[in-house]
Amino acid sequence: MRVIAGTARSMPLKTISGLDTRPTTDRIKETLFNMLMPYIPDSDFLDLFAGSGQIGIEALSRGARSAVFVDNAKAAQDCIKDNLKFTRFSDKAVVTRMDVLSYLSTLKHVTSDLIFMDAPYESGLNMEALRILGNKEFKYEDTLIVCEDLKEADYSEVLSLGYEIVKEKIYKTNKHIFIRKAGEEKADD
């Protein structure tokens, strides 16, 4: 696993041993970031269920202003911190060891303009996170949320939660769903 592009291009990243995480392949990560490039420069990136931190680090490498990494596992926290130190992005990052749903519940406002979530497949945690976010005020009306999930996962419920599906990119076994809050007003700082 490595950083694909940007200031940390080709730098290898550590992964977490075991079967608890499923790193996004370089090919899918490259496709994802080609689609996200217009949104990344100077963005505040939120990486939920962060695992090794590779997605948020890729965003930092490509010009994100900051990144927050949230994962409940100590092994993930240690791996993310090592990867941030190695890529020299520690000063642009916050690593939070906390259950993602608890973390989101504590937010008064959503201040990120780009959110990536990759919960364990078939756990339903991406939808749970979207339900919590649906009740929050967003600082930016055009905040983009990207969920990685199984190809078969049904996200039609997001429409009733006040979101719109902007795009779906389907791969062989999984997909990325691009979601925005519909008609969101800006929250005051």
Side-chain angles (χ1 to χ4, degrees), residues 38-169:
Y39 308 98
I40 292 176
D42 297 320
S43 66
D44 294 311
F45 196 90
L46 178 56
D47 191 348
L48 301 174
F49 310 100
S52 66
Q54 71 160 325
I55 299 296
I57 290 170
E58 187 74 34
L60 288 170
S61 181
R62 292 175 184 240
R65 176 180 32 248
S66 67
V68 175
F69 300 83
V70 182
D71 201 296
N72 199 30
K74 182 172 181 353
Q77 180 186 34
D78 293 343
C79 186
I80 294 164
K81 286 182 176 180
D82 287 347
N83 284 333
L84 287 167
K85 184 176 180 182
F86 182 71
T87 55
R88 297 183 191 94
F89 290 131
S90 295
D91 61 331
K92 294 182 172 190
V94 173
V95 181
T96 301
R97 183 177 170 209
M98 189 175 197
D99 172 75
V100 168
L101 303 181
S102 298
Y103 172 82
L104 293 175
S105 294
T106 65
L107 294 179
K108 183 176 179 181
H109 301 305
V110 177
T111 58
S112 301
D113 43 3
L114 195 49
I115 301 170
F116 181 80
M117 59 178 82
D118 182 9
Y121 291 169
E122 298 186 68
S123 69
L125 290 171
N126 280 348
M127 281 305 304
E128 286 295 321
L130 287 167
R131 286 184 197 103
I132 294 169
L133 285 170
N135 293 317
K136 302 290 180 179
E137 292 183 49
F138 280 53
K139 180 177 179 181
Y140 304 105
E141 63 185 42
D142 60 345
T143 294
L144 185 63
I145 303 168
V146 180
C147 298
E148 183 171 321
D149 214 325
L150 285 174
K151 181 170 77 169
E152 300 80 19
D154 180 12
Y155 277 75
S156 60
E157 180 186 343
V158 300
L159 304 175
S160 66
L161 297 173
Y163 296 103
E164 61 182 334
I165 297 175
V166 178
K167 176 193 290 193
E168 273 188 321
K169 175 63 177 167

Side-chain angles (χ1 to χ4, degrees), residues 166-182:
V166 178
K167 176 193 290 193
E168 273 188 321
K169 175 63 177 167
I170 299 174
Y171 308 99
K172 188 174 183 178
T173 60
N174 62 338
K175 66 181 174 181
H176 286 120
I177 304 96
F178 297 76
I179 300 167
R180 278 210 174 92
K181 255 193 150 179

